[in-house]
Amino acid sequence: MEALHPNRQEVTPGKRTRFVGLRIKFVVFFSLILIMTCSSLSWYFIQTRRQAMTDNLEELGTILLTNTVRNEHFRIGGIVLEDRATLDQFMQSLMAIDHVVYVEITASDGRILDRQSKRIWRTASGSPPTTEQPLYPDNQISESLLQAPLTAPLMTKLELSSKNTLVAQDTSSDRLLPFLLRQETFYDFAMPVLRESSVETALPQLSVELEERSFPLPTKRSPVVGLVRIGITDASAKQALMVIVRNVSLLTLLIIAAGILSAHLFTSRITTPLRRLASAARQLAEGHDAPTPLLVAASNDEVGELTQVFNDMTQSLHEHNQAITMNLDTIKRQVKQLTTAHQASAVIASANMLDMNQLLDTVLPLLIDNLGFSRMAFLLRHPDRNGASIARIIGVPKEIEQTARRLYIPIVAGSISEELLIHGKPLLIHDVETVAQRMHPVLLELVRRSGVRSFVAVPLQSHAKILGYLAGDRGSRQCSEEDLHILLTIAGHVAAAIDNAKAYSDLAELTQHLEERIEQRTDELSRANTQLQEHDRHRTTFLSVVSHELRTPMTAIRSFAENMLDGVTGPLTELQHTYLTRIQHNVARLGRIIVQLLDWSRLDTESVQLRLEEVCIHQIATITADSLQMVAGEKTVTLTVASAESLPPVQGDRDKLEQILWNLIGNAIKFTPAGGRVTVEFCVSPPGFVQTCIVDSGCGIEPSHLPNIFEEFSRVPSAMPTSQGAQLGLCITKTLVTMHRGQIWVESQPAVGSRFYFTLPLSGSQDEQS
């Protein structure tokens, strides 16, 4: 399943990122809009109703006061003011109106002619019993209106103060919230009663049984006859408005609740399928199987279409997963089988698997553990007795195993043993009872006791020989062609291993015999080696003694020859001079051969030690060339040493390096004809080494003889045979260069010349190498 999601990130259960659902977002957003809209409409409706009620109260007060003051009885001389009965009648008619709280009529001099109030305000003066007093407005307003001849009512909003008096209300009460929160508001309507301009009657002095009020009396005649004040309360209006507010609030809440519920139900039809889709997708992302049953499309809209598409996708993924799972199971099974075959092959190919018992004890359990076989058996063929025996069996009880190891199964015509061990035919038996007649009775009894119902058997064949066969079963399950094939694959390796084990057993016997023979030969060779070392010591001693013994007569011969050539014994004939010159040349040649034999003898016995130091190879070459200039001059050969500025020093033995250069330069001069040239060149190549090259224009060497040029006594033919010696010089030179951890080689062309190269390590690099 994870193969389908290569970029999927693991989500740990319990740590999933929390988020606000789409349903909550939509419901909250819709609820806010609905609450704001309904609240605004409700507020506007209530505010409108309040304003209408307030306007109605103001209109009622204005109408009542205007009709009262402008009544003809008031305006014609103030008749009502003079008639107590009529005044009471007016007062009763006004007080009969529901909204009217109090009525007050004041004379022009400030005296209260009559006042009535529906409200009795109870006050407590210190201690019970309480006293009762009617509720009336503050008279400061009356004082100002008596001086001002207004023709329209003056409305004042009053409220009950802490001193139980009506005082003017502040302007903030015009808003809805203070209007609803205040206990009660009184609307005071006041309007003066004006005198007719054509009537000049004085205001009668009425005696009333009311409390005297000390108002300042006008000092001159005023057009104001009196003052009428009517107080209207909004208590009933507020009660009606509160009923409206309650009803509107309930209706608003119902609308909001219904809207939220509708939004919830509506979003549920969208979010519920989406949650199911998200849950199913999460299960798929976490590697679970597709949900069963599939999701049901609850609507025919886009969500339903998405659900159907998701179901199709889930079904397709489920089918793909099943196919992938089947393929993975097959691949795992095949990989396991191949791994088992590889492990078996590795075990069989191991160097320790040369013992057949150890081989069977390792391979058979491996096949049972990795291939799922319940029991495995190996039957070994005995060609000399025309039968087979059970060499190893595992997966059965101990007593059956012991019985099986003692069985001997003859090969009978028509039996399964004949097909396996004679014809080499593999067998797949689905039911043992179907081949019971073809099995040996003892083997059949063993198979039945072991509980084998179906088995596979493959022959073990190696180099056209059948060594036995391998058999296995799966207990209560039937074996398949796949089991047969895997055993056939492993059988070849097992057969080869068994064949190797038998060959190894035979080889062990042969090896033991050969070891005895080798031990005898070793003793003989040891004795022969001792004799050879003794002969080599005698040879070395002989060479050393002979070389030293030959030097004395050679020195005498060379001295006598030189004296005779110098004329000490008298004049010489031309023939005598020739003979003496040849004697001198051959004595020098024999001396060189003796020196080379001594050097070779010392090198052969490894008695030469190098005394390494930091030296300049160019300086040593220059000194060596100067020593050979006389020899080169006798042959008219030009010998030069090329300049080498800033050439780094090398690590070497000065004497041995002189010997190397003496041999190489001397050879170059010796094999270069008269008029030729010998040059010594230097360079740093390869890195860490100084390369020296001796170039001559001599006779050269045939290419076929170049590989043998540095061998002792090589006998390489030359175009100048008179110049050849014992041919040990180049062998000694190579040995000395190798001792310095350098290399030497040659490039040559016949009749053109030769170039001998050798390298020496730079000073300091040899220490690193060592």
Side-chain angles (χ1 to χ4, degrees):
M1 183 66 187
E2 294 182 358
L4 300 177
H5 307 279
N7 299 323
R8 177 171 60 85
Q9 296 180 352
E10 295 293 335
V11 180
T12 304
K15 296 184 179 180
R16 187 174 290 109
T17 304
R18 295 183 178 180
F19 61 93
V20 180
L22 181 63
R23 177 190 300 177
I24 297 177
K25 291 181 180 178
F26 185 82
V27 170
V28 171
F29 179 73
F30 183 78
S31 300
L32 290 176
I33 294 178
L34 186 61
I35 291 172
M36 293 176 62
T37 303
C38 293
S39 300
S40 300
L41 292 176
S42 300
W43 185 269
Y44 176 76
F45 177 75
I46 295 173
Q47 178 70 16
T48 304
R49 294 298 300 169
R50 183 194 71 84
Q51 187 64 40
M53 289 181 179
T54 303
D55 293 342
N56 289 337
L57 291 176
E58 293 178 358
E59 184 178 0
L60 175 62
T62 301
I63 293 173
L64 290 176
L65 186 59
T66 302
N67 290 338
T68 302
V69 172
R70 293 180 179 178
N71 189 283
E72 59 181 4
H73 296 288
F74 277 93
R75 299 189 60 84
I76 302 174
I79 298 176
V80 175
L81 299 179
E82 297 175 355
D83 188 355
R84 184 67 183 182
T86 306
L87 184 61
D88 291 338
Q89 185 179 359
F90 267 95
M91 295 291 288
Q92 293 296 330
S93 62
L94 291 174
M95 292 298 293
I97 301 175
D98 294 335
H99 297 286
V100 176
V101 179
Y102 62 86
V103 178
E104 182 181 275
I105 298 176
T106 306
S108 60
D109 57 359
R111 290 179 295 110
I112 298 176
L113 299 179
D114 195 2
R115 58 170 28 169
Q116 293 185 13
S117 177
K118 293 181 181 179
R119 299 289 179 89
I120 301 299
W121 202 262
R122 298 180 182 273
T123 60
S125 57
S127 61
T130 60
T131 60
E132 297 181 353
Q133 66 179 27
L135 183 64
Y136 293 109
D138 189 2
N139 288 328
Q140 292 180 357
I141 300 176
S142 301
E143 181 181 355
S144 62
L145 288 176
L146 288 173
Q147 305 297 326
L150 297 178
T151 59
L154 176 64
M155 186 192 72
T156 305
K157 293 183 180 181
L158 304 176
E159 62 182 359
L160 189 63
S161 67
S162 60
K163 296 180 180 181
N164 297 326
T165 58
L166 294 176
V167 297
Q169 192 181 75
D170 55 358
T171 56
S172 63
S173 62
D174 292 338
R175 298 179 181 177
L176 177 60
L177 188 58
F179 177 78
L180 295 175
L181 293 178
R182 291 183 183 275
Q183 183 177 4
E184 191 175 6
T185 302
F186 299 92
Y187 295 85
D188 182 79
F189 295 89
M191 186 175 179
V193 180
L194 301 179
R195 190 187 304 274
E196 289 290 341
S197 59
S198 58
V199 180
E200 297 291 338
T201 58
L203 184 66
Q205 301 294 323
L206 299 178
S207 174
V208 295
E209 298 178 354
L210 298 174
E211 182 182 358
E212 288 290 332
R213 299 292 181 181
S214 61
F215 286 97
L217 297 176
T219 57
K220 61 180 179 179
R221 188 177 181 83
S222 173
V224 179
V225 177
L227 179 66
V228 180
R229 297 182 69 178
I230 301 175
I232 296 176
T233 180
D234 64 350
S236 60
K238 281 186 175 181
Q239 291 179 359
L241 185 60
M242 289 303 294
V243 173
I244 294 175
V245 169
R246 183 179 69 248
N247 296 334
V248 171
S249 299
L250 291 176
L251 182 60
T252 301
L253 292 176
L254 289 175
I255 294 174
I256 292 175
I260 294 175
L261 180 60
S262 300
H264 178 76
L265 295 177
F266 177 73
T267 53
S268 296
R269 291 178 60 84
I270 297 176
T271 57
T272 300
L274 293 180
R275 286 181 180 273
R276 293 175 182 172
L277 290 175
S279 178
R282 189 179 301 112
Q283 292 180 6
L284 292 177
E286 291 176 354
H288 300 295
D289 293 334
T292 303
L294 297 177
L295 302 178
V296 179
S299 58
N300 294 326
D301 51 10
E302 288 82 357
V303 177
E305 184 179 0
L306 178 61
T307 303
Q308 186 60 40
V309 171
F310 182 82
N311 288 336
D312 296 340
M313 181 194 70
T314 304
Q315 186 65 27
S316 178
L317 286 176
H318 181 65
E319 295 175 356
H320 286 143
N321 288 342
Q322 286 183 339
I324 291 174
T325 302
M326 294 176 61
N327 292 335
L328 286 177
D329 292 340
T330 303
I331 292 173
K332 288 180 180 178
R333 186 169 61 255
Q334 293 177 352
V335 168
K336 191 172 184 180
Q337 293 175 354
L338 292 176
T339 303
T340 304
H342 173 72
Q343 292 176 350
S345 300
V347 169
I348 292 170
S350 174
N352 297 327
M353 290 294 106
L354 296 176
D355 181 75
M356 188 171 65
N357 293 326
Q358 184 181 2
L359 173 67
L360 296 176
D361 290 338
T362 304
V363 173
L364 295 185
L366 181 66
L367 299 180
I368 287 181
D369 294 338
N370 293 333
L371 298 182
F373 286 105
S374 300
R375 288 167 287 266
M376 295 289 296
F378 168 66
L379 281 80
L380 181 64
R381 182 188 178 189
H382 303 286
D384 53 342
R385 293 186 293 171
N386 193 28
S389 62
I390 300 178
R392 186 74 74 250
I393 183 171
I394 59 175
V396 297
K398 192 69 175 179
E399 60 274 8
I400 297 180
E401 179 182 359
Q402 294 175 356
T403 303
R405 296 292 294 270
R406 295 193 296 266
L407 293 181
Y408 177 77
I409 305 169
I411 302 176
V412 181
S415 65
I416 60 173
S417 299
E418 182 187 26
E419 293 187 13
L420 289 166
L421 300 176
I422 302 301
H423 304 295
K425 179 181 177 182
L427 296 178
L428 171 58
I429 307 300
H430 294 289
D431 188 359
V432 173
E433 299 302 327
T434 59
V435 294
Q437 301 297 327
R438 299 168 55 194
M439 297 179 65
H440 191 272
V442 178
L443 180 60
L444 178 61
E445 179 64 22
L446 179 64
V447 168
R448 288 174 176 174
R449 287 178 57 189
S450 302
V452 177
R453 299 181 180 179
S454 173
F455 68 91
V456 289
V458 295
L460 301 178
Q461 187 172 1
S462 177
H463 298 94
K465 295 188 302 182
I466 298 177
L467 306 176
Y469 67 87
L470 190 65
D473 78 301
R474 291 186 174 273
S476 59
R477 294 165 50 194
Q478 281 192 351
C479 295
S480 62
E481 292 284 346
E482 188 175 352
D483 299 327
L484 184 64
H485 293 160
I486 189 64
L487 278 185
L488 281 173
T489 303
I490 299 175
H493 300 283
V494 176
I498 293 174
D499 194 16
N500 292 337
K502 294 182 67 176
Y504 177 78
S505 178
D506 297 337
L507 182 62
E509 296 179 1
L510 179 60
T511 302
Q512 185 177 2
H513 178 68
L514 290 177
E515 286 178 354
E516 296 175 356
R517 297 289 302 276
I518 290 173
E519 186 176 357
Q520 296 176 358
R521 293 295 184 185
T522 303
D523 293 337
E524 296 175 359
L525 291 175
S526 177
R527 292 192 296 270
N529 185 42
T530 302
Q531 295 176 0
L532 288 176
Q533 290 179 356
E534 185 67 21
H535 290 322
D536 185 67
R537 186 176 62 81
H538 291 315
R539 177 183 61 83
T540 304
T541 304
F542 172 75
L543 288 174
S544 179
V545 171
V546 169
S547 299
H548 285 288
E549 293 296 330
L550 287 176
R551 282 186 175 184
T552 302
M554 284 177 55
T555 302
I557 294 172
R558 183 173 58 252
S559 298
F560 290 147
E562 289 176 354
N563 291 334
M564 293 178 69
L565 288 173
D566 291 339
V568 175
T569 59
L572 300 175
T573 63
E574 183 177 355
L575 182 60
Q576 290 174 340
H577 188 275
T578 301
Y579 287 163
L580 288 174
T581 302
R582 291 180 179 178
I583 291 172
Q584 186 183 29
H585 173 75
N586 285 282
V587 168
R589 178 182 176 188
L590 183 59
R592 289 194 300 271
I593 292 174
I594 293 173
V595 170
Q596 289 179 354
L597 286 173
L598 289 174
D599 292 338
W600 173 74
S601 176
R602 285 194 293 268
L603 292 175
D604 190 46
T605 58
E606 299 182 356
S607 60
V608 178
Q609 299 293 330
L610 298 179
R611 291 177 294 178
L612 298 177
E613 59 179 323
E614 187 177 290
V615 296
C616 178
I617 189 65
H618 181 269
Q619 180 184 8
I620 295 175
T622 303
I623 295 174
T624 305
D626 290 343
S627 300
L628 292 171
Q629 284 291 350
M630 183 178 296
V631 178
E634 291 177 356
K635 294 190 64 176
T636 64
V637 173
T638 304
L639 174 61
T640 57
V641 178
S643 62
E645 298 180 357
S646 303
L647 189 69
V650 298
Q651 193 81 5
D653 187 320
R654 183 181 297 273
D655 295 337
K656 299 301 183 291
L657 293 180
E658 288 183 2
Q659 185 176 355
I660 292 171
L661 290 169
W662 184 281
N663 289 340
L664 294 177
I665 297 175
N667 279 348
I669 296 172
K670 183 167 48 176
F671 291 100
T672 300
R677 173 178 291 276
V678 176
T679 306
V680 183
E681 300 173 349
F682 307 93
C683 67
V684 179
S685 176
F689 290 85
V690 171
Q691 176 179 288
T692 305
C693 179
I694 294 86
V695 186
D696 65 65
S697 57
C699 59
I701 305 170
E702 292 291 336
S704 58
H705 298 299
L706 289 178
N708 304 323
I709 193 68
F710 294 104
E711 294 180 0
E712 55 188 13
F713 308 111
S714 58
R715 297 298 179 184
V716 176
S718 171
M720 302 177 66
T722 58
S723 300
Q724 285 184 319
Q727 294 191 357
L728 291 175
L730 290 179
C731 176
I732 296 172
T733 301
K734 181 179 180 180
T735 303
L736 294 175
V737 171
T738 304
M739 291 175 65
H740 282 81
R741 299 190 180 181
Q743 293 183 350
I744 186 170
W745 67 96
V746 62
E747 296 175 356
S748 181
Q749 294 182 4
V752 176
S754 302
R755 302 175 70 92
F756 281 84
Y757 300 89
F758 70 92
T759 59
L760 297 173
L762 296 178
S763 177
S765 63
Q766 193 169 15
D767 296 336
E768 297 176 358
Q769 293 174 0
S770 59

